mmCIF file of all heavy atoms in Angstrom:
data_model
loop_
_atom_site.group_PDB
_atom_site.id
_atom_site.type_symbol
_atom_site.label_atom_id
_atom_site.label_comp_id
_atom_site.label_asym_id
_atom_site.label_seq_id
_atom_site.Cartn_x
_atom_site.Cartn_y
_atom_site.Cartn_z
ATOM 1 N N LEU A 50 158.734 341.214 245.120
ATOM 2 C CA LEU A 50 157.485 341.503 245.941
ATOM 3 C C LEU A 50 156.461 340.444 245.783
ATOM 4 O O LEU A 50 155.913 339.925 246.734
ATOM 5 C CB LEU A 50 156.937 342.901 245.613
ATOM 6 C CG LEU A 50 157.480 344.053 246.455
ATOM 7 C CD1 LEU A 50 156.889 345.369 245.844
ATOM 8 C CD2 LEU A 50 157.018 343.865 247.903
ATOM 9 N N LEU A 54 155.105 337.988 248.720
ATOM 10 C CA LEU A 54 153.740 337.850 249.196
ATOM 11 C C LEU A 54 152.904 336.633 248.701
ATOM 12 O O LEU A 54 151.848 336.442 249.127
ATOM 13 C CB LEU A 54 153.040 339.199 248.679
ATOM 14 C CG LEU A 54 153.411 340.447 249.351
ATOM 15 C CD1 LEU A 54 152.932 341.662 248.691
ATOM 16 C CD2 LEU A 54 153.092 340.469 250.864
ATOM 17 N N VAL A 59 152.291 342.175 240.780
ATOM 18 C CA VAL A 59 152.573 343.370 241.576
ATOM 19 C C VAL A 59 153.057 344.366 240.593
ATOM 20 O O VAL A 59 153.977 344.167 239.685
ATOM 21 C CB VAL A 59 153.735 343.100 242.581
ATOM 22 C CG1 VAL A 59 154.250 344.332 243.141
ATOM 23 C CG2 VAL A 59 153.222 342.215 243.722
ATOM 24 N N SER A 64 153.875 356.093 244.070
ATOM 25 C CA SER A 64 153.410 356.346 245.486
ATOM 26 C C SER A 64 152.289 355.464 245.808
ATOM 27 O O SER A 64 151.656 354.827 244.888
ATOM 28 C CB SER A 64 152.934 357.835 245.657
ATOM 29 O OG SER A 64 151.740 357.925 245.047
ATOM 30 N N GLY A 65 152.033 355.268 247.019
ATOM 31 C CA GLY A 65 150.925 354.437 247.529
ATOM 32 C C GLY A 65 149.577 355.089 247.120
ATOM 33 O O GLY A 65 148.649 354.406 246.758
ATOM 34 N N THR A 66 149.592 356.419 247.126
ATOM 35 C CA THR A 66 148.360 357.181 246.658
ATOM 36 C C THR A 66 148.082 356.864 245.161
ATOM 37 O O THR A 66 146.898 356.648 244.869
ATOM 38 C CB THR A 66 148.596 358.653 246.959
ATOM 39 O OG1 THR A 66 148.802 358.879 248.271
ATOM 40 C CG2 THR A 66 147.386 359.437 246.455
ATOM 41 N N ALA A 68 148.856 354.214 243.517
ATOM 42 C CA ALA A 68 148.442 352.899 243.541
ATOM 43 C C ALA A 68 146.991 352.722 243.939
ATOM 44 O O ALA A 68 146.179 351.966 243.314
ATOM 45 C CB ALA A 68 149.391 351.980 244.421
ATOM 46 N N GLU A 161 142.543 346.496 249.967
ATOM 47 C CA GLU A 161 143.299 346.636 251.118
ATOM 48 C C GLU A 161 144.378 347.813 251.049
ATOM 49 O O GLU A 161 145.189 347.787 250.212
ATOM 50 C CB GLU A 161 144.139 345.451 251.544
ATOM 51 C CG GLU A 161 143.345 344.215 251.905
ATOM 52 C CD GLU A 161 144.143 342.921 252.280
ATOM 53 O OE1 GLU A 161 144.869 343.022 253.375
ATOM 54 O OE2 GLU A 161 144.301 342.123 251.398
ATOM 55 N N ALA A 163 147.354 348.618 252.607
ATOM 56 C CA ALA A 163 148.385 347.969 253.440
ATOM 57 C C ALA A 163 149.663 348.874 253.333
ATOM 58 O O ALA A 163 150.776 348.348 253.520
ATOM 59 C CB ALA A 163 148.725 346.549 252.955
ATOM 60 N N ALA A 164 149.400 350.148 253.194
ATOM 61 C CA ALA A 164 150.566 351.135 252.964
ATOM 62 C C ALA A 164 151.587 351.003 254.158
ATOM 63 O O ALA A 164 152.805 351.069 253.846
ATOM 64 C CB ALA A 164 150.023 352.509 252.878
ATOM 65 N N GLU A 165 151.111 350.674 255.310
ATOM 66 C CA GLU A 165 152.061 350.735 256.415
ATOM 67 C C GLU A 165 152.417 349.343 256.972
ATOM 68 O O GLU A 165 153.091 349.292 258.007
ATOM 69 C CB GLU A 165 151.413 351.480 257.637
ATOM 70 C CG GLU A 165 150.891 352.939 257.203
ATOM 71 C CD GLU A 165 149.984 353.556 258.223
ATOM 72 O OE1 GLU A 165 149.590 352.769 259.234
ATOM 73 O OE2 GLU A 165 149.691 354.697 258.072
ATOM 74 N N SER A 166 152.074 348.286 256.220
ATOM 75 C CA SER A 166 152.074 347.032 256.914
ATOM 76 C C SER A 166 152.710 345.807 256.065
ATOM 77 O O SER A 166 152.293 344.718 256.278
ATOM 78 C CB SER A 166 150.558 346.561 257.294
ATOM 79 O OG SER A 166 150.240 347.582 258.261
ATOM 80 N N LEU A 167 153.666 346.192 255.185
ATOM 81 C CA LEU A 167 154.359 345.109 254.472
ATOM 82 C C LEU A 167 154.915 344.160 255.501
ATOM 83 O O LEU A 167 155.722 344.570 256.338
ATOM 84 C CB LEU A 167 155.380 345.681 253.504
ATOM 85 C CG LEU A 167 156.197 344.639 252.783
ATOM 86 C CD1 LEU A 167 155.341 343.690 251.923
ATOM 87 C CD2 LEU A 167 157.323 345.335 251.877
ATOM 88 N N VAL A 176 149.048 340.338 254.896
ATOM 89 C CA VAL A 176 148.106 341.346 254.628
ATOM 90 C C VAL A 176 148.416 341.755 253.230
ATOM 91 O O VAL A 176 149.581 341.703 252.771
ATOM 92 C CB VAL A 176 148.131 342.535 255.505
ATOM 93 C CG1 VAL A 176 147.906 342.064 257.027
ATOM 94 C CG2 VAL A 176 149.485 343.275 255.493
ATOM 95 N N GLY A 177 147.480 342.183 252.506
ATOM 96 C CA GLY A 177 147.608 342.474 251.081
ATOM 97 C C GLY A 177 147.180 341.386 250.219
ATOM 98 O O GLY A 177 147.128 341.575 249.024
ATOM 99 N N ALA A 183 145.225 345.362 246.481
ATOM 100 C CA ALA A 183 145.765 345.898 247.676
ATOM 101 C C ALA A 183 146.813 346.884 247.217
ATOM 102 O O ALA A 183 147.335 346.876 246.044
ATOM 103 C CB ALA A 183 146.391 344.836 248.633
ATOM 104 N N ILE A 184 147.298 347.818 248.182
ATOM 105 C CA ILE A 184 148.310 348.646 247.751
ATOM 106 C C ILE A 184 149.385 348.715 248.935
ATOM 107 O O ILE A 184 149.042 348.511 250.062
ATOM 108 C CB ILE A 184 147.846 350.154 247.577
ATOM 109 C CG1 ILE A 184 147.283 350.786 248.771
ATOM 110 C CG2 ILE A 184 146.824 350.110 246.438
ATOM 111 C CD1 ILE A 184 148.141 351.736 249.565
ATOM 112 N N LEU A 185 150.531 349.124 248.606
ATOM 113 C CA LEU A 185 151.689 349.364 249.576
ATOM 114 C C LEU A 185 152.253 350.697 249.391
ATOM 115 O O LEU A 185 152.216 351.263 248.265
ATOM 116 C CB LEU A 185 152.760 348.263 249.368
ATOM 117 C CG LEU A 185 152.318 346.860 249.539
ATOM 118 C CD1 LEU A 185 153.586 345.895 249.046
ATOM 119 C CD2 LEU A 185 152.147 346.514 250.962
ATOM 120 N N SER A 186 152.921 351.270 250.381
ATOM 121 C CA SER A 186 153.623 352.435 250.269
ATOM 122 C C SER A 186 155.051 352.187 250.699
ATOM 123 O O SER A 186 155.366 351.414 251.552
ATOM 124 C CB SER A 186 153.013 353.554 251.091
ATOM 125 O OG SER A 186 153.843 354.598 251.171
ATOM 126 N N PHE A 187 155.995 352.883 250.079
ATOM 127 C CA PHE A 187 157.453 352.881 250.325
ATOM 128 C C PHE A 187 157.943 354.266 250.660
ATOM 129 O O PHE A 187 159.175 354.467 250.383
ATOM 130 C CB PHE A 187 158.260 352.211 249.301
ATOM 131 C CG PHE A 187 157.657 350.906 248.784
ATOM 132 C CD1 PHE A 187 157.178 350.774 247.427
ATOM 133 C CD2 PHE A 187 157.497 349.780 249.629
ATOM 134 C CE1 PHE A 187 156.716 349.536 246.928
ATOM 135 C CE2 PHE A 187 156.929 348.621 249.210
ATOM 136 C CZ PHE A 187 156.485 348.479 247.873
ATOM 137 N N GLY A 198 157.213 355.930 246.720
ATOM 138 C CA GLY A 198 156.979 354.707 245.999
ATOM 139 C C GLY A 198 155.841 354.021 246.493
ATOM 140 O O GLY A 198 155.396 354.176 247.586
ATOM 141 N N GLY A 199 155.325 353.066 245.634
ATOM 142 C CA GLY A 199 154.108 352.295 246.049
ATOM 143 C C GLY A 199 154.047 351.165 245.210
ATOM 144 O O GLY A 199 154.808 350.923 244.264
ATOM 145 N N ALA A 200 153.030 350.342 245.386
ATOM 146 C CA ALA A 200 152.819 349.105 244.615
ATOM 147 C C ALA A 200 151.275 348.779 244.624
ATOM 148 O O ALA A 200 150.586 348.928 245.663
ATOM 149 C CB ALA A 200 153.543 347.921 245.123
ATOM 150 N N PHE A 201 150.831 348.315 243.488
ATOM 151 C CA PHE A 201 149.462 347.813 243.358
ATOM 152 C C PHE A 201 149.570 346.214 243.261
ATOM 153 O O PHE A 201 150.405 345.686 242.516
ATOM 154 C CB PHE A 201 148.878 348.342 242.066
ATOM 155 C CG PHE A 201 147.506 347.800 241.704
ATOM 156 C CD1 PHE A 201 146.394 348.068 242.343
ATOM 157 C CD2 PHE A 201 147.420 346.803 240.650
ATOM 158 C CE1 PHE A 201 145.136 347.616 242.093
ATOM 159 C CE2 PHE A 201 146.270 346.197 240.452
ATOM 160 C CZ PHE A 201 145.106 346.587 240.977
ATOM 161 N N ILE A 202 148.742 345.521 244.063
ATOM 162 C CA ILE A 202 148.803 344.057 244.121
ATOM 163 C C ILE A 202 147.494 343.529 243.773
ATOM 164 O O ILE A 202 146.457 343.960 244.225
ATOM 165 C CB ILE A 202 149.147 343.680 245.571
ATOM 166 C CG1 ILE A 202 150.479 344.357 245.987
ATOM 167 C CG2 ILE A 202 149.159 342.210 245.916
ATOM 168 C CD1 ILE A 202 150.743 344.241 247.501
#
Side-chain angles (χ1 to χ4, degrees):
L50 268 172
L54 294 169
V59 171
S64 72
T66 301
E161 291 180 75
E165 301 167 357
S166 299
L167 176 61
V176 303
I184 68 98
L185 298 170
S186 171
F187 310 117
F201 172 78
I202 301 164

